[in-house]
Amino acid sequence: MDTRNIIGYRYAQGDNITFKAVDPSSGTSLPGDFYIATLAEVEEAMTLAWKAFNEYQHIGKDKKVAFLRAIAEELKANGQEIIERAMSESGLPSPRLQGELGRTTNQLNMFANLLEEGSWVEAIIDTAIPDRQPLPRVDIRKMMVPLGPAVVFGASNFPLAFSVAGGDTAAALAAGCPVIVKAHPAHPGTSALVANIIKKVAEAQGLPEGVFSLLYDYGYVIGEALVKHPNTKIVTFTGSLKGGTALMKMAREREEPIPVFAEMGSINPIVLLPLALEKRSEELAKTYTDSITMSVGQFCTNPGLLIAIKSEGLNRFKTALAEGISEINSATMLTPGICANYQRLVNERISSTEISVISQSDKLNAEKVNQGLAAVTEISAADFLANEKYKEEVFGPYSLLVVADDVNQLEQVLNSLHGQLTATVMADAEELPNYKQITNQLAILAGRVILNNPPTGVEVGNAMMHGGPFPATSDSRFTSVGTSSIKRFVRPVCWQNWNEDLLPDELKTNNPLKIWRLFNNEYKK
Ligand code: NAP
């Protein structure tokens, strides 16, 4: 494993200052010294990226398709080594990481398929009408073009699918944007293995040098320099609200402000309606025990808030949830920082007078460190409404049940929430028509509204919307999962009055790429 920074096709080791990866389950260092990049290396990577952009944006779909597919193949071929390293760096178990590797390669292939199909460029053609009265109409043709070099901040909780070769990188490369990854210091070895694959493939396929670079840091200097570099045209990020808003501020204050697409998490409210609780309280408790504790709760879609009206069914739900949660063994959290943060927030909540404990697991694995223990607590709707701090995310296997006196109070709780990635209603078909106000409210709150499913488990596809109003993300108009996530990396340009031979193929009248287009108000190929 080469642990140096990757700048185009060369390796760089900055000022020879290194850091080590930590195994969060033992707290011990893992093999490998990772070289912290310098500002000079940021400059070099960004200069190369800009040069590469001029060429890469025009190389055509076939070369981009081959690039994405070859990365996926190489990831598969080296899967065992990558998964083993990711396990030791993240504490995540093998089956979870096997699934994540599959998701990563599927995402790369999904974008390759999207490019082959071609309509994603949203070509629109209004041909000239020279004899239109009172004025002639000129020929205008519009499509999406890539924005430019993209800086990608990987997520700690998805060391593969939201990291070096994750969804952001795949979408950016598909769009025609070079990628510069700021490696997440929680999994530098996994990042190195994946980045070396991308470098090798890019070089072997003769792609412009600088189409991909990866820089390490153990702090904010390199990330900040990348965001502020004039050649950076877009930033993507998955992580904390604090980190995301810091990057947004930097990008806004640049001489040329640029978009930051930050996915900053969510408490993903779940409304449990009375009839559903009455009819299937045990089943709902099982669903939410699993969803709250899956991957030690380290999902941005973790159900951190349950909301219900007091009832006998709710009491039965609480009893079953308490039993379920008390049976959950502790497990290793991603980083010592994430674990310490989790324990601090849970302790704060448990010790506050407004909150009571429904259940807290005591099944601690004392042989390992950085263990997350599941907990579920309860608060009255009145106290919840009076305390802004309970609307914040507790990243880990935790959920807060808010108990309302009646439907009006339940609605007030929903109305008081900030933007979310998801909002769910668990309901019986019979009762849904009586809660129109509630179900309508969900789509105002969140990017994905769910009926009778847990929010964890984000399908990667064409229709997925993984985003939502601030603070869930920095821009509720875009998704960071699925084919539509490519839209973050493009902007529309229209060509007015150009000769056929000078137009991009996507916009030529005879449609050589045979893609769907809106041609004089009619969708056709
Ligand atoms: P983080 O602290 O937000 O960091 C994510 C990445 O952004 C890291 O590479 C970090 O660099 C960089 N970064 C953060 N603040 C920065 C700043 N001001 N300037 C430049 N770069 C900055 O996330 P994390 O370390 O993965 O986890 C911490 C917390 O984030 C968790 O406890 C959880 O609350 C939240 N989180 C949310 C999600 C989600 O799905 N939205 C996922 C993971 C974590 P350095 O690490 O080098 O400092």
Side-chain angles (χ1 to χ4, degrees), residues 127-139:
T127 55
I129 308 177
D131 55 357
R132 188 182 67 173
Q133 292 302 329
L135 287 172
R137 182 171 92 174
V138 288
D139 186 287

Side-chain angles (χ1 to χ4, degrees), residues 156-157 182 184-185 219-220 237 239-240 243 246 263-265 300 338 395:
S156 55
N157 58 341
K182 185 336 208 125
H184 198 296
Y220 299 157
F237 167 94
S240 64
E263 195 262 81
M264 299 172 287
C300 44
I338 286 177
F395 193 69

Side-chain angles (χ1 to χ4, degrees), residues 152-158 162 182-186 216-225 227 237-247 250 262-266 298-301 333-335 337-339 341-342 345 393-396 421 466 472:
V152 171
F153 286 79
S156 55
N157 58 341
F158 281 89
F162 274 96
K182 185 336 208 125
H184 198 296
Y216 299 100
D217 192 14
Y218 203 81
Y220 299 157
V221 176
I222 296 304
E224 186 172 339
V227 175
F237 167 94
T238 304
S240 64
L241 179 62
K242 192 162 153 259
T245 48
L247 301 186
M250 279 175 218
E263 195 262 81
M264 299 172 287
S266 183
Q298 300 166 119
F299 284 136
C300 44
T301 51
M333 298 195 79
L334 292 159
T335 67
I338 286 177
C339 187
N341 202 30
Y342 173 68
L345 288 171
E393 182 184 35
V394 177
F395 193 69
L421 292 171
H466 187 67

